[in-house]
Amino acid sequence: MQNKELLKIFKGGSKTFFNSSLFFPETVLNDVIRLYAFVRTVDDFVDSVPVKKEEYFNFKKKYLNHIKGDETDNVVIKSFVELKNQKNFDESWVEAFFNSMEMDIQGRIYYKFEDIEDYVYGSAEVIGLFMCKIFALSHTSYDSAKIFGKALQYINFVRDVVEDIDLKRVYFPENELERFGILRPDFLTTKFDLEQFSKFMRFQVKRCFYLLENGERGLPLIPRRLRLPVKTASDMYKWTLSVIDKRPEVVLEKKIRPSRPFLFYRVFSNIFNSNF
C-alpha cells in the first residue's frame, strides 16, 4: 500500500501522467509514485511564486545528508532513496536534476538551442533514465528514453507558455525568438505580433513532433504490459500538439489537456491494436 502523502503529491501533478500511470502493474506504479513524489516536490519549490528557495535548499540538504547515512523523517526523501538504492539509480542523474532546478532558481537565459540542453537533460532526460531502471530495461533503451523525456519537456514548454511567463521564464532560445521577430521582453509581456507568435509556435510544435516520434522508436524495447501507459501518454501529448498546431494562440487562453474519457479511449484502443 503506497504512502498516502506520496499518492496525494502524485495525484496533484500532471493529470495526463497520473491517469496514464494507473495502467501500470501495482508494483511498478508504486515505484513511479515514489519517483514522481520526489521530483514533483522539488519542482513545486522552484515553481512557486515567489520561489521557495530556502525550502528547496533545505530539502536538498536533507537528501544529501540522508544518502550519507543520516536519518530523516521526510517520507518523500526516504522513499526516493529507498527506490534509488533498490533500482541502482546513478547519483549523477540526481545531481543533474538538482542542477536544472537551480537553473530555474537563478533565472537562466538561453541564447541558443544548445544552451538549454543541460537544463533539459537534468529536468527531463534523467527522468527517462530513472524509468528505464524502474522497468528493468537494458542500456540499449537509454538513448530513446532520454529523447522521449526531452520531447515531453519541450511539449510542456509549448503548452505552458503562460505559466512560464508568470514565473518570468523563457525556455525558448533567444535566437529562435528573434528569427520570428520576437524579443524576449516582448515575449514576457505578451506584446508580440500574434501572427509571428503563431509561426514561432508551429516551428516549436514541429520540433516536438520530431523528438516524440524519435523517442517512440524505443517503445518496442519496453515489455508490452509496461508499454501501454507510456504509449498512451505519448498519444495524449501528440493530441495536445495537434490542438496547438491548429491554433497556436490557444496556449495564451488556456492550458490544453486531454479529457480523462479520451485518455481511457486511447488506452483501450491501444490494448486492442494488434500492432501495439
Side-chain angles (χ1 to χ4, degrees):
M1 185 69 177
Q2 190 55 255
N3 180 282
K4 290 182 179 180
E5 182 179 343
L6 304 183
L7 186 58
K8 182 179 178 181
I9 295 170
F10 187 48
K11 283 183 176 180
S14 168
K15 299 304 179 186
T16 298
F17 186 60
F18 172 75
N19 289 325
S20 299
S21 296
L22 294 177
F23 293 90
F24 282 126
E26 185 177 359
T27 54
V28 172
L29 176 59
N30 286 338
D31 289 343
V32 171
I33 291 172
R34 288 194 283 173
L35 168 63
Y36 189 86
F38 182 83
V39 297
R40 182 70 192 189
T41 297
V42 175
D43 196 55
D44 283 347
F45 290 144
V46 173
D47 286 348
S48 293
V49 181
V51 172
K52 295 181 178 179
K53 188 174 179 179
E54 184 177 350
E55 290 90 337
Y56 164 81
F57 283 107
N58 284 339
F59 183 91
K60 181 181 178 182
K61 183 179 180 180
K62 287 182 180 179
Y63 165 76
L64 293 174
N65 287 339
H66 189 52
I67 63 174
K68 292 175 184 176
D70 289 357
E71 288 299 318
T72 182
D73 58 359
N74 187 303
V75 67
V76 173
I77 293 173
K78 188 173 183 178
S79 62
F80 175 76
V81 172
E82 288 173 352
L83 176 67
K84 174 179 176 289
N85 293 336
Q86 290 166 2
K87 301 299 180 181
N88 196 28
F89 290 167
D90 192 318
E91 179 59 25
S92 69
W93 300 346
V94 185
E95 290 175 6
F97 170 68
F98 280 125
N99 287 341
S100 290
M101 297 302 98
E102 286 163 32
M103 289 181 196
D104 279 337
I105 292 174
Q106 296 160 6
R108 186 72 64 89
I109 296 175
Y110 306 100
Y111 294 98
K112 56 184 184 297
F113 181 75
E114 292 75 16
D115 293 340
I116 204 170
E117 292 287 84
D118 283 345
Y119 175 81
V120 173
Y121 172 74
S123 66
E125 292 182 35
V126 298
I127 307 302
L129 295 174
F130 290 142
M131 294 297 289
C132 286
K133 286 290 190 177
I134 289 174
F135 291 170
L137 303 181
S138 70
H139 282 73
T140 57
S141 66
Y142 285 13
D143 286 344
S144 294
K146 289 195 295 182
I147 295 172
F148 190 80
K150 179 189 288 190
L152 300 192
Q153 180 65 287
Y154 271 99
I155 295 169
N156 287 343
F157 292 160
V158 170
R159 183 195 64 191
D160 300 339
V161 165
V162 171
E163 289 179 21
D164 293 334
I165 287 175
D166 287 343
L167 292 166
K168 306 301 180 187
R169 294 175 190 160
V170 179
Y171 292 107
F172 303 113
E174 300 271 292
N175 64 348
E176 292 184 359
L177 283 166
E178 291 172 3
R179 192 187 312 169
F180 289 84
I182 303 173
L183 300 178
R184 187 173 187 273
D186 294 337
F187 192 84
L188 282 169
T189 55
T190 64
K191 294 178 180 177
F192 41 68
D193 182 273
L194 274 180
E195 184 177 348
Q196 289 303 106
F197 174 76
S198 293
K199 290 179 180 178
F200 173 76
M201 295 301 280
R202 286 194 174 102
F203 172 77
Q204 299 298 330
V205 165
K206 184 177 181 181
R207 170 184 285 152
C208 291
F209 269 123
Y210 173 79
L211 288 170
L212 194 54
E213 288 165 3
N214 275 276
E216 279 192 334
R217 292 178 182 176
L219 287 176
L221 299 174
I222 304 174
R224 195 175 193 277
R225 181 66 182 86
L226 303 180
R227 194 187 315 156
L228 177 64
V230 180
K231 179 63 168 64
T232 300
S234 184
D235 290 344
M236 295 301 96
Y237 274 97
K238 283 182 179 177
W239 175 85
T240 298
L241 285 175
S242 297
V243 171
I244 296 171
D245 195 43
K246 288 178 183 177
R247 196 170 74 88
E249 60 269 28
V250 71
V251 298
L252 301 174
E253 302 163 5
K254 61 182 179 179
K255 187 165 184 171
I256 307 301
R257 284 195 183 102
S259 68
R260 199 175 192 192
F262 179 55
L263 183 145
F264 288 162
Y265 164 75
R266 288 305 307 167
V267 166
F268 292 109
S269 294
N270 285 328
I271 288 174
F272 294 107
N273 183 351
S274 60
N275 294 319
F276 171 66

